[in-house]
Amino acid sequence: MAVSGPGGAAPEEAARGGLGRSRGPGGPRVPARRWGRALALALALVTTVFGCTDTRGIVQIAWSFVDRGGNSVFPGPLGDTCSFHGVVDGADRSFDLRVAVRLCDPECSAGCGDDGCLLVDPLVYSCLGARGSSEVPAMDTPYEFKVEVLADLGSECTCVIEEPCAEVPGPRLRMVRTGLITDLQVYQLVLGLASPSQAELSLEGCCALPPGCL
């Protein structure tokens, strides 16, 4: 996962037209639009590398954590979302809560939760801030933006926190244009906390750790 430092805070859904589909040898039918997206992304990366043209845009996002009653957690009583603790895989563990943004191909049938649908590496932000900003390749078609809350246990042990332990807004379609800022605005992220002033969150049944993270 790509890691970005602190920064900031979304634009319009595009209609999906009836596009042709192509089939690779013995493979599944693939929307022709996906090939166009892949080609556009490859060209953006090539021109950026060789310095011919700046084809990047900036994505900004801000977030706030609240409990199920809508009470502020961070920013609020907690000064950051680092050093939480709670039950994970049957044991009490310490972890940081971090916000990640996935940028996906909205035409990908597997959905934005599948790594095969990613168009760039996920943007993962620090537990110290409530804003993030990153440069990504500009596209002539929209990205699908999906926000996740991660539990980072260190040593590359990270898992996505699912409901009911954490609830996030649904995906959004937004354009990223060359030299411009795409503002995803403020996401309200709901945590299943016992108290909004205590950094304690049980992740039992909500956080599937990768193998080897025991």
Side-chain angles (χ1 to χ4, degrees), residues 47-146:
T47 54
T48 298
V49 169
F50 287 98
C52 301
T53 309
D54 186 357
T55 59
R56 295 167 295 176
I58 295 175
V59 172
Q60 290 186 165
I61 180 174
W63 58 87
S64 65
F65 284 98
V66 299
D67 67 8
R68 291 191 183 117
N71 301 302
S72 296
V73 174
F74 172 73
L78 300 183
D80 55 49
T81 56
C82 307
S83 301
F84 266 68
H85 70 92
V87 177
V88 186
D89 259 9
D92 191 76
R93 300 168 183 267
S94 295
F95 51 87
D96 297 337
L97 292 184
R98 304 178 69 180
V99 171
V101 183
R102 297 172 67 88
L103 284 72
C104 305
D105 178 358
E107 298 294 328
C108 185
S109 60
C112 201
D114 189 299
D115 286 350
C117 295
L118 289 172
L119 293 173
V120 299
D121 289 338
L123 313 176
V124 183
Y125 297 106
S126 169
C127 60
L128 295 171
R131 300 172 69 85
S133 178
S134 302
E135 283 191 345
V136 301
M139 298 280 285
D140 58 1
T141 54
Y143 286 103
E144 180 176 333
F145 290 88
K146 182 176 187 291

